[in-house]
Amino acid sequence: MKAVFVQDAYSVIVKEVEIPVLAANEVLIKVKAAGICGSDLHTYKGLHPFRKPPVIIGHELSGEVVKIGEAVTKLQVGDHVTVEPQTGCGTCEYCLTGNINYCENRGAPGIGNWYGAMAEYFAAPEQTVFKLPDGMDYEQGVLVEPFAVGVHAVRKAGIGVGDKVAILGAGPIGLLAMVASKVAGATTLLVTDVMDYALDSALNMGATHTLNILNKKEWMEEAKMLVGGSFDKVLVAAGVPGIIDQALALLGKGGRVVTIAMFHGDQTFNIHNLQNQEKEIVGCMTYTREDTITAIDLIAAGAVNKSVIITHRLSPEQAAEGFRIVDKKEDSSLKVLVEF
């Protein structure tokens, strides 16, 4: 089968590899579409903490079940599905309380023997596979995983009715976190970025305010002026230097920052802004089963406009081009799909 490899830093190629052999509890999925995620870019740049080249890349996918293991009971050949691409040990306190994302032995595509999803076929344990509701297409199915990230961040932030929320970064994760914030009841949604096209997309997806912060040092005051005061919650979807201190500066007393982006290197902030005003910084790691189910239900209900967020549909042979345009933010790219 064809598979897209990050062969080395900034090197993406297509190889022929063997179709995965199923374990008894696994299903084989004929991949219809796979997305290029921001964390895939970290692998592409050789910066990911645990997914290292050479590796079959990808973890956002949808497709059709074409084979099932002998122990599979809830899925059938022909089912249209997506995948929550993580596994836990199943026995630790975190797995037993529904927090697989905390498991010390958490598995994910592209790690160990689990192939990545950007290939013609993908094997996954039955418990990670979800049927797509009637009427949900494969492209919407690809958006379930990144939307679950946004749903989880909103839960961690505790966003509720009437909240003022700032989303820092208008990439796909930031935009989907904004949609999840709106669904949760936030009535003021400000999105920042350095690309006007991404901010236009934020408006099209429901943002009430946008701000281009390119070459602006004191943009935090401008942001607060736009919405008439400080923010209740800030979601950080861009891992750039200094952004945590900037996020704290946006918050009112008692507000909460949730970090979604992957960071490289240290982040510094003014501890007095945190302690003296009882603000909070909360980490956010992937999602739980509840978040994935919620993401599926919300997409099925029409919460996410795929025509805005999906900007490119490429063949496997064009995957290298896809990684480049996402990395360089070329051609007004947001979510780039590789379709099989």
Coordinates of all heavy atoms in Angstrom, one line a residue, residues 196-256:
D196 N -4.2 37.7 7.8 CA -5.5 38.2 7.6 C -6.5 37.2 7.1 O -7.7 37.1 7.4 CB -5.5 39.4 6.6 CG -5.0 40.7 7.2 OD1 -5.1 40.8 8.5 OD2 -4.5 41.6 6.5
Y197 N -6.0 36.3 6.2 CA -6.9 35.3 5.6 C -7.4 34.4 6.7 O -8.6 33.9 6.7 CB -6.3 34.5 4.5 CG -5.3 33.4 4.9 CD1 -5.8 32.1 5.3 CD2 -3.9 33.6 5.0 CE1 -4.9 31.1 5.7 CE2 -3.1 32.6 5.4 CZ -3.6 31.4 5.7 OH -2.7 30.4 6.1
A198 N -6.6 34.0 7.7 CA -7.0 33.2 8.8 C -8.0 33.9 9.7 O -9.0 33.3 10.2 CB -5.8 32.8 9.7
L199 N -7.8 35.2 9.9 CA -8.8 36.0 10.7 C -10.1 36.1 9.9 O -11.2 36.1 10.6 CB -8.2 37.4 11.0 CG -6.9 37.3 11.9 CD1 -6.3 38.7 12.0 CD2 -7.3 36.7 13.2
D200 N -10.1 36.2 8.6 CA -11.3 36.3 7.9 C -12.1 34.9 8.0 O -13.3 34.9 8.2 CB -11.0 36.5 6.4 CG -10.6 37.9 6.1 OD1 -10.8 38.8 6.9 OD2 -9.9 38.1 5.0
S201 N -11.4 33.8 8.1 CA -12.0 32.5 8.3 C -12.6 32.5 9.7 O -13.7 31.9 9.9 CB -11.0 31.4 8.1 OG -10.5 31.4 6.8
A202 N -11.9 33.1 10.7 CA -12.5 33.1 12.0 C -13.8 33.8 12.1 O -14.8 33.4 12.7 CB -11.5 33.8 13.0
L203 N -13.9 35.0 11.4 CA -15.2 35.7 11.3 C -16.2 34.8 10.6 O -17.4 34.8 11.1 CB -15.0 37.0 10.5 CG -14.2 38.1 11.2 CD1 -13.9 39.3 10.3 CD2 -14.9 38.6 12.5
N204 N -15.9 34.1 9.6 CA -16.8 33.3 8.9 C -17.3 32.1 9.7 O -18.4 31.6 9.5 CB -16.2 32.7 7.6 CG -16.0 33.8 6.5 OD1 -16.8 34.8 6.5 ND2 -15.1 33.6 5.6
M205 N -16.5 31.7 10.7 CA -16.9 30.6 11.6 C -17.5 31.1 12.9 O -17.8 30.2 13.8 CB -15.7 29.7 11.8 CG -15.2 29.0 10.6 SD -13.8 27.9 10.9 CE -14.6 26.5 11.7
G206 N -17.7 32.4 13.1 CA -18.4 32.9 14.2 C -17.7 33.8 15.2 O -18.3 34.2 16.2
A207 N -16.5 34.2 14.9 CA -15.8 35.1 15.8 C -16.5 36.4 15.8 O -17.1 36.9 14.8 CB -14.3 35.3 15.4
T208 N -16.6 37.1 17.0 CA -17.2 38.4 17.1 C -16.2 39.5 16.8 O -16.5 40.6 16.4 CB -17.8 38.6 18.4 OG1 -16.8 38.5 19.5 CG2 -18.9 37.6 18.7
H209 N -14.9 39.2 17.1 CA -13.8 40.2 16.9 C -12.6 39.5 16.4 O -12.3 38.3 16.8 CB -13.5 41.0 18.2 CG -14.6 41.7 18.8 ND1 -15.6 41.0 19.5 CD2 -15.0 43.0 18.8 CE1 -16.5 41.9 20.0 NE2 -16.1 43.1 19.5
T210 N -11.7 40.2 15.6 CA -10.4 39.6 15.3 C -9.4 40.8 15.4 O -9.7 41.9 15.3 CB -10.4 39.1 13.8 OG1 -10.7 40.2 12.9 CG2 -11.4 37.9 13.6
L211 N -8.1 40.4 15.5 CA -7.1 41.3 15.6 C -5.8 40.8 15.0 O -5.3 39.7 15.5 CB -6.8 41.7 17.1 CG -5.7 42.7 17.4 CD1 -6.0 44.0 16.8 CD2 -5.5 42.8 18.9
N212 N -5.3 41.4 14.0 CA -4.0 41.1 13.5 C -2.9 41.7 14.4 O -2.8 42.9 14.5 CB -3.8 41.6 12.0 CG -2.6 41.0 11.3 OD1 -1.5 40.9 11.9 ND2 -2.8 40.6 10.1
I213 N -2.0 40.8 15.0 CA -1.1 41.3 15.9 C 0.3 41.4 15.4 O 1.3 41.6 16.1 CB -1.1 40.4 17.2 CG1 -0.6 39.0 16.9 CG2 -2.4 40.5 17.9 CD1 -0.4 38.1 18.1
L214 N 0.5 41.3 14.0 CA 1.8 41.4 13.4 C 2.5 42.7 13.7 O 1.9 43.8 13.5 CB 1.6 41.2 11.9 CG 2.9 41.2 11.1 CD1 3.8 40.0 11.5 CD2 2.6 41.2 9.6
N215 N 3.7 42.6 14.3 CA 4.5 43.8 14.6 C 3.9 44.7 15.6 O 4.2 45.9 15.7 CB 4.9 44.5 13.3 CG 5.7 43.7 12.3 OD1 6.5 42.9 12.7 ND2 5.4 43.9 11.0
K216 N 3.0 44.2 16.4 CA 2.4 45.0 17.5 C 2.9 44.5 18.9 O 2.7 43.3 19.2 CB 0.9 44.9 17.4 CG 0.3 45.6 16.2 CD -1.3 45.5 16.2 CE -1.9 46.1 15.0 NZ -3.4 46.0 15.0
K217 N 3.5 45.4 19.6 CA 4.0 45.0 21.0 C 2.9 45.1 22.0 O 2.9 44.3 23.0 CB 5.2 45.8 21.3 CG 6.4 45.5 20.5 CD 7.6 46.3 20.9 CE 8.9 46.0 20.1 NZ 10.1 46.8 20.6
E218 N 2.0 46.0 21.9 CA 1.1 46.3 23.0 C -0.3 45.9 22.5 O -1.3 46.6 22.8 CB 1.1 47.8 23.4 CG 2.5 48.2 23.9 CD 3.0 47.4 25.1 OE1 2.1 47.0 26.0 OE2 4.2 47.1 25.2
W219 N -0.5 44.9 21.8 CA -1.7 44.5 21.2 C -2.7 44.0 22.3 O -4.0 44.1 22.0 CB -1.6 43.4 20.2 CG -1.0 42.1 20.7 CD1 0.3 41.7 20.7 CD2 -1.7 41.0 21.3 NE1 0.5 40.5 21.2 CE2 -0.8 40.0 21.6 CE3 -3.1 40.8 21.5 CZ2 -1.1 38.8 22.2 CZ3 -3.4 39.6 22.1 CH2 -2.5 38.6 22.4
M220 N -2.3 43.7 23.5 CA -3.2 43.2 24.5 C -4.2 44.3 24.9 O -5.4 44.0 25.1 CB -2.4 42.7 25.7 CG -1.6 41.4 25.4 SD 0.0 41.7 24.6 CE 0.9 42.4 26.1
E221 N -3.7 45.5 25.1 CA -4.6 46.6 25.4 C -5.6 46.9 24.3 O -6.8 47.2 24.5 CB -3.8 47.8 25.8 CG -3.0 47.7 27.0 CD -3.9 47.4 28.2 OE1 -5.0 48.0 28.4 OE2 -3.5 46.5 29.0
E222 N -5.1 46.8 23.1 CA -6.0 47.0 21.9 C -7.1 45.9 21.9 O -8.3 46.2 21.6 CB -5.2 47.0 20.6 CG -6.1 47.2 19.4 CD -5.3 47.2 18.1 OE1 -4.0 47.2 18.2 OE2 -5.9 47.3 17.0
A223 N -6.7 44.7 22.2 CA -7.7 43.6 22.3 C -8.8 43.8 23.3 O -10.0 43.6 23.1 CB -7.0 42.3 22.5
K224 N -8.3 44.3 24.5 CA -9.3 44.5 25.6 C -10.2 45.7 25.2 O -11.4 45.7 25.6 CB -8.6 44.8 26.9 CG -8.0 43.5 27.4 CD -7.4 43.7 28.8 CE -6.1 44.4 28.9 NZ -5.5 44.3 30.2
M225 N -9.7 46.7 24.5 CA -10.5 47.8 24.1 C -11.6 47.4 23.1 O -12.7 47.9 23.1 CB -9.6 48.9 23.5 CG -8.8 49.7 24.5 SD -7.7 50.9 23.7 CE -8.9 52.0 22.9
L226 N -11.2 46.4 22.2 CA -12.1 46.0 21.2 C -13.4 45.3 21.9 O -14.5 45.5 21.3 CB -11.5 44.9 20.3 CG -10.6 45.5 19.2 CD1 -9.9 44.3 18.5 CD2 -11.4 46.3 18.2
V227 N -13.2 44.7 23.0 CA -14.3 43.9 23.6 C -14.9 44.6 24.8 O -15.8 44.1 25.5 CB -13.9 42.5 23.9 CG1 -13.4 41.8 22.7 CG2 -12.9 42.4 25.0
G228 N -14.3 45.8 25.2 CA -14.8 46.5 26.3 C -14.4 46.0 27.7 O -15.1 46.1 28.7
G229 N -13.2 45.4 27.8 CA -12.7 45.0 29.0 C -11.9 43.7 28.9 O -11.6 43.2 27.8
S230 N -11.5 43.2 30.1 CA -10.7 42.0 30.2 C -11.5 40.7 29.8 O -12.7 40.7 29.7 CB -10.1 41.8 31.6 OG -9.3 42.9 31.9
F231 N -10.7 39.6 29.6 CA -11.3 38.4 29.2 C -11.5 37.4 30.4 O -10.7 37.5 31.3 CB -10.5 37.7 28.1 CG -10.5 38.4 26.8 CD1 -9.6 39.5 26.5 CD2 -11.4 38.1 25.8 CE1 -9.6 40.2 25.4 CE2 -11.4 38.8 24.6 CZ -10.5 39.8 24.4
D232 N -12.5 36.6 30.3 CA -12.7 35.6 31.3 C -11.8 34.4 31.1 O -11.3 33.8 32.0 CB -14.1 35.1 31.3 CG -15.1 36.2 31.5 OD1 -15.0 36.9 32.6 OD2 -15.9 36.5 30.6
K233 N -11.6 34.0 29.8 CA -10.8 32.8 29.5 C -9.9 33.1 28.2 O -10.4 33.9 27.4 CB -11.7 31.6 29.2 CG -12.8 31.4 30.2 CD -12.2 30.8 31.5 CE -13.2 30.9 32.7 NZ -14.5 30.3 32.4
V234 N -8.8 32.5 28.2 CA -7.9 32.7 27.0 C -7.4 31.3 26.6 O -6.9 30.5 27.4 CB -6.7 33.6 27.3 CG1 -5.8 33.7 26.0 CG2 -7.1 35.0 27.7
L235 N -7.6 30.9 25.3 CA -7.1 29.7 24.8 C -5.9 30.0 23.9 O -6.0 30.7 23.0 CB -8.2 29.0 24.0 CG -9.5 28.8 24.7 CD1 -10.5 28.1 23.7 CD2 -9.4 28.0 26.0
V236 N -4.8 29.3 24.3 CA -3.5 29.6 23.6 C -3.3 28.5 22.5 O -3.0 27.3 22.9 CB -2.3 29.6 24.5 CG1 -1.0 29.9 23.8 CG2 -2.5 30.7 25.6
A237 N -3.4 28.9 21.3 CA -3.3 27.9 20.2 C -2.1 28.2 19.2 O -2.1 27.8 18.1 CB -4.6 27.8 19.4
A238 N -1.2 29.0 19.8 CA 0.0 29.3 19.0 C 1.2 29.3 20.0 O 1.2 30.0 21.0 CB -0.1 30.7 18.4
G239 N 2.2 28.4 19.8 CA 3.3 28.2 20.7 C 4.5 29.1 20.5 O 5.6 28.7 20.5
V240 N 4.2 30.4 20.4 CA 5.3 31.4 20.2 C 5.8 32.0 21.5 O 5.2 32.0 22.5 CB 4.8 32.5 19.2 CG1 4.4 32.0 17.9 CG2 3.6 33.3 19.9
P241 N 7.1 32.4 21.5 CA 7.7 33.0 22.7 C 6.9 34.1 23.3 O 6.4 35.0 22.5 CB 9.1 33.4 22.2 CG 9.4 32.6 21.0 CD 8.1 32.4 20.4
G242 N 6.7 34.2 24.6 CA 6.1 35.3 25.3 C 4.6 35.2 25.3 O 3.9 36.0 25.9
I243 N 4.0 34.2 24.7 CA 2.5 34.2 24.6 C 1.8 33.9 25.9 O 0.7 34.4 26.1 CB 2.1 33.2 23.5 CG1 0.7 33.6 23.0 CG2 2.2 31.8 23.9 CD1 0.3 32.9 21.7
I244 N 2.4 33.2 26.8 CA 1.7 33.0 28.1 C 1.6 34.3 28.9 O 0.5 34.6 29.5 CB 2.5 31.9 28.9 CG1 2.6 30.6 28.1 CG2 1.8 31.7 30.3 CD1 1.2 30.0 27.8
D245 N 2.6 35.1 28.9 CA 2.6 36.4 29.6 C 1.5 37.3 28.9 O 0.8 38.0 29.6 CB 3.9 37.1 29.6 CG 4.2 37.9 30.8 OD1 3.5 37.6 31.9 OD2 5.0 38.8 30.8
Q246 N 1.4 37.2 27.6 CA 0.4 38.0 26.8 C -1.0 37.5 27.2 O -1.9 38.3 27.4 CB 0.7 37.9 25.3 CG 2.0 38.5 24.9 CD 2.4 38.2 23.5 OE1 2.0 37.2 22.9 NE2 3.3 39.0 22.9
A247 N -1.1 36.2 27.3 CA -2.4 35.7 27.6 C -2.9 36.1 29.0 O -4.0 36.5 29.2 CB -2.4 34.1 27.6
L248 N -1.9 36.1 30.0 CA -2.2 36.5 31.3 C -2.6 38.0 31.3 O -3.5 38.4 32.1 CB -1.1 36.3 32.3 CG -0.8 34.9 32.6 CD1 0.6 34.8 33.4 CD2 -1.9 34.3 33.5
A249 N -2.0 38.8 30.5 CA -2.3 40.2 30.4 C -3.7 40.5 29.9 O -4.3 41.5 30.2 CB -1.3 40.9 29.6
L250 N -4.3 39.6 29.2 CA -5.6 39.7 28.6 C -6.7 39.4 29.7 O -7.8 39.9 29.6 CB -5.8 38.8 27.4 CG -5.0 39.1 26.2 CD1 -5.2 37.9 25.2 CD2 -5.5 40.4 25.5
L251 N -6.3 38.6 30.7 CA -7.3 38.1 31.6 C -7.7 39.1 32.7 O -6.9 39.9 33.1 CB -6.8 36.9 32.4 CG -6.7 35.6 31.7 CD1 -6.1 34.5 32.6 CD2 -8.1 35.1 31.2
G252 N -9.0 39.1 33.1 CA -9.4 39.7 34.3 C -9.0 38.9 35.5 O -8.5 37.8 35.4
K253 N -9.3 39.5 36.7 CA -8.9 38.8 37.9 C -9.7 37.5 38.0 O -10.9 37.4 37.7 CB -9.3 39.6 39.1 CG -8.4 40.9 39.2 CD -8.7 41.7 40.5 CE -7.8 42.9 40.5 NZ -8.1 43.8 41.7
G254 N -9.0 36.4 38.4 CA -9.7 35.1 38.5 C -9.8 34.4 37.2 O -10.5 33.3 37.1
G255 N -9.3 34.9 36.1 CA -9.5 34.3 34.8 C -8.5 33.1 34.6 O -7.7 32.8 35.4
R256 N -8.7 32.4 33.5 CA -8.0 31.2 33.3 C -7.5 31.1 31.8 O -8.2 31.4 30.9 CB -8.9 30.0 33.5 CG -8.3 28.6 33.3 CD -9.2 27.5 33.6 NE -9.6 27.4 35.0 CZ -10.5 26.6 35.5 NH1 -11.1 25.7 34.7 NH2 -10.7 26.6 36.8

